[in-house]
Amino acid sequence: LWSALRGGDPEHASYLQNILFRQTATRYADAWHHHKPFWYFGGVVIAFWLPFSLAFFWLWRDWGRAWRERDAKSWLPLAWALLVLAFFSLSPGKRDMYILPALPAVALAAAPFLPALLSRADFRRALHWLALALSLLLLGTGILCWFQPPAAAQDLVRERGLGAEARWLWAMLAVVGAIGMAAALHWRREGLRALGAVLLALCLGYGFVAYPLLDPSSSAREIMVDARKAAGPDAPIALVSWKEQNLLQAIGEDMARRARH
């Protein structure tokens, strides 16, 4: 603040105005995109914090007891996580990543009770059923999209500019689902292991198959490749309202010269 306001450099003042006021304060109080209802983060916690969020149905009793006993190692991080959730829920603009700092705090609050929870047969069964349901969903979706893609899958292919390579996505889903089914059948009484196998296969499939296919349309890579094709191999490209990823993924001699200098 001192350097930007007292230094006299207009670029510093502009940076301060953009990052501190517009991208932080204004985005929180009067967001211009990603408008979501107040309860949006509740759905994020239930769906995207799985399988951890499944444990909440058992943990709330332990957390209640920790509150009554003033056990700070549990209720202090849990209270902080609830404040994070409330803080971002008050803003009209919401994205699922905003509350990620609360996740490790909730994990700390749950840590003292997890060994006893994992010894419960009903919780292990719940994990097993979750692994089975997720595997069936992935397997069924992959097979359906391979043979007769539904409208949602066709929209994804069209919006992403994919061609025949989209079949790798459907094959990945089917393979991950098959691995999950095998794990669920093998570890009938070890739901955590079965679910871990499903999630590991899904992460590997996403990283090695889905991400490379979707990256050109998820970032500036595709538009920079098209720009280079249109401009030719040696022509400089002028960027208007550019973002850092445009420079990062630019192609051609002009960008190489700029990088060297």
Side-chain angles (χ1 to χ4, degrees), residues 103-151:
L103 180 55
V106 177
L108 283 174
F113 313 110
L114 291 182
L117 181 58
L118 289 172
S119 67
R120 294 178 61 105
D122 54 350
F123 181 64
R124 293 199 304 270
R125 281 196 300 269
L127 292 178
H128 181 265
W129 281 109
L130 178 60
L132 194 61
L134 181 58
S135 300
L136 283 172
L137 176 63
L138 294 171
L139 180 61
T141 302
I143 293 175
L144 177 63
C145 291
W146 180 275
F147 291 104
Q148 188 63 44

Side-chain angles (χ1 to χ4, degrees), residues 244-259:
E244 285 77 7
Q245 61 175 321
N246 294 102
L247 296 181
L248 176 66
Q249 297 174 324
I251 299 172
E253 289 298 322
D254 56 313
M255 302 315 302
R257 289 195 298 269
R258 182 177 297 181

Side-chain angles (χ1 to χ4, degrees), residues 203-260:
C203 288
L204 292 175
Y206 182 83
F208 285 104
V209 179
Y211 190 85
L213 286 176
L214 300 177
D215 177 61
S217 56
S218 297
S219 65
R221 178 168 302 180
E222 187 172 28
I223 194 171
M224 296 309 295
V225 169
D226 291 343
R228 175 50 60 200
K229 289 179 180 178
D234 299 319
I237 296 176
L239 302 178
V240 179
S241 298
W242 55 272
K243 296 182 179 180
E244 285 77 7
Q245 61 175 321
N246 294 102
L247 296 181
L248 176 66
Q249 297 174 324
I251 299 172
E253 289 298 322
D254 56 313
M255 302 315 302
R257 289 195 298 269
R258 182 177 297 181
R260 284 196 298 268

